[in-house]
């Protein structure tokens, strides 16, 4: 089964998130082969969305967490607190966190260790800026990011782990890499994962995925799923995305 992560970023309030989650569940009624769907609302909506999802097969992800377990960190949210409100997964190292909150691979490594400790499925984002892509060094850059992050965490071998390859220049721009480019980077990601004994991890693609182009990515054997931002915050579009993922199985 392929995976779809819907990252709602800072786009929706609590009521809108609840309505969207309800719409997703309605769309899945009667679907036998439900793909692995994660929805990631803002922190403020986690509790209410968790209630809507209940014991359904749709899973709840948070968009970030702090690198420390507990303490005097005003305004931050910990892994334990996320678990407490029903999150099952957490996105770590999204490029917007790296750009606007100055997160480094070392920070993300600390977060990864804590996520594992609290039984949250980590969805780790990696990806190169356009200058690196133009220099032909994308795969090496991403592989190094991943190596640094994985080195910081001693993960249990049975840990469910997702790596989302999200080229920075593809996020929210409408521009996507070719499937050939995605495959090249995914291959190197898988080899790093193998070195770390985590070959069962799922490797996703993210960046300007929409209902028109999702098939090309999701239908590829080297792509285990997709992480979608903009196209996941409206019900019609999100349902279309889920339908394509369900059809592929
Ligand atoms: P996008 O965002 O689908 O809007 O490009 C993807 C992401 O930021 O994860």
């Amino acid at each position: 089964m392929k995976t779809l992560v819907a990252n709602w970023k800072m786009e929706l309030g609590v009521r809108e998130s609840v309505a969207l989650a309800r719409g997703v569940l309605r769309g899945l009624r009667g679907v036998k082969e439900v793909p692995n769907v994660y929805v990631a609302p803002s922190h403020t909506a986690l509790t209410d969305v968790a209630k809507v999802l209940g014991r359904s097969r749709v899973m709840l992800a948070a968009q970030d967490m702090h690198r420390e377990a507990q303490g005097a960190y005003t305004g931050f949210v910990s892994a334990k607190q996320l678990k407490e409100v029903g999150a099952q997964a957490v996105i770590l190292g999204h490029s917007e966190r790296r750009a606007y909150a100055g997160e480094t691979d070392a920070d993300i490594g600390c977060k990864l260790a804590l996520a594992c400790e609290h039984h949250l499925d980590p969805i780790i984002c990696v990806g190169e800026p356009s200058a690196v892509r133009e220099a032909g060094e994308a795969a090496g850059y991403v592989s190094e990011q991943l190596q640094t992050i994985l080195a910081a965490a001693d993960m249990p071998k049975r840990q469910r782990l997702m790596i989302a390859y999200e080229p920075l220049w593809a996020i929210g721009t409408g521009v996507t890499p070719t499937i050939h480019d995605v495959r090249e980077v995914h291959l190197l990601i898988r080899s790093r994962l193998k070195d770390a004994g985590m070959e069962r991890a799922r490797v996703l693609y993210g960046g300007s995925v929409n209902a028109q182009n999702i098939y090309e990515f999701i239908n590829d054997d080297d792509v285990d799923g997709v992480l979608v931002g903009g196209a996941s915050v409206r019900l019609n579009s999100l349902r279309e995305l889920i339908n394509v993922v369900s059809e592929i199985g």
Side-chain angles (χ1 to χ4, degrees):
M1 267 292 156
K2 301 260 177 171
T3 297
L4 184 140
V5 181
N7 175 13
W8 296 343
K9 307 198 179 192
M10 202 174 69
E11 301 285 9
L12 306 176
V14 177
R15 250 189 288 174
E16 293 161 314
S17 303
V18 163
L20 192 51
R22 284 205 180 110
V24 168
L25 292 188
R26 270 199 307 277
L28 286 173
R29 260 184 222 152
V31 176
K32 282 203 195 86
E33 301 283 310
V34 177
N36 302 308
V37 178
Y38 291 84
V39 296
S42 294
H43 285 158
T44 51
L46 284 170
T47 307
D48 291 62
V49 173
K51 281 183 201 146
V52 171
L53 299 181
R55 292 182 174 276
S56 75
R57 288 168 290 180
V58 175
M59 291 166 280
L60 183 66
Q63 296 178 15
D64 179 47
M65 53 176 247
H66 193 48
R67 56 170 279 168
E68 299 295 338
Q70 190 178 352
Y73 298 104
T74 304
F76 293 98
V77 172
S78 72
K80 190 173 168 211
Q81 289 167 332
L82 293 180
K83 196 69 195 174
E84 208 172 37
V85 295
Q88 288 141 300
V90 60
I91 298 174
L92 299 177
H94 190 280
S95 69
E96 286 147 17
R97 302 270 339 148
R98 292 172 185 261
Y100 307 131
E103 274 184 23
T104 63
D105 291 328
D107 294 325
I108 299 157
C110 294
K111 293 180 184 206
L112 172 61
L114 273 178
C116 297
E117 212 176 287
H118 289 88
H119 308 290
L120 288 163
D121 300 342
I123 304 163
I124 299 174
C125 301
V126 288
E128 81 287 355
S130 58
V132 171
R133 160 67 53 189
E134 278 154 25
E137 289 161 5
Y141 181 95
V142 167
S143 149
E144 225 173 277
Q145 280 184 317
L146 189 59
Q147 211 168 0
T148 311
I149 296 168
L150 293 178
D154 194 10
M155 273 175 299
K157 291 287 173 274
R158 292 178 55 209
Q159 175 69 46
R160 210 199 289 204
L161 174 69
M162 284 161 273
I163 309 297
Y165 168 50
E166 299 207 302
L168 271 54
W169 46 272
I171 297 178
T173 58
V175 182
T176 54
T178 64
I179 188 67
H180 176 81
D181 291 338
V182 172
R183 263 190 222 134
E184 186 199 359
V185 177
H186 277 206
L187 207 70
L188 214 54
I189 289 176
R190 285 191 204 280
S191 114
R192 283 290 86 80
L193 288 166
K194 192 157 183 253
D195 296 343
M198 299 299 296
E199 50 267 78
R200 287 174 54 233
R202 322 207 99 220
V203 187
L204 319 180
Y205 167 73
S208 294
V209 173
N210 57 36
Q212 286 71 52
N213 64 20
I214 185 173
Y215 184 82
E216 188 191 357
F217 296 110
I218 203 89
N219 191 41
D220 197 278
D221 285 345
D222 284 327
V223 178
D224 297 321
V226 286
L227 198 167
V228 188
S232 77
V233 296
R234 278 183 318 278
L235 183 57
N236 283 350
S237 158
L238 180 52
R239 274 199 187 160
E240 277 182 62
L241 293 166
I242 295 175
N243 286 344
V244 176
V245 181
S246 307
E247 275 163 27
I248 285 175

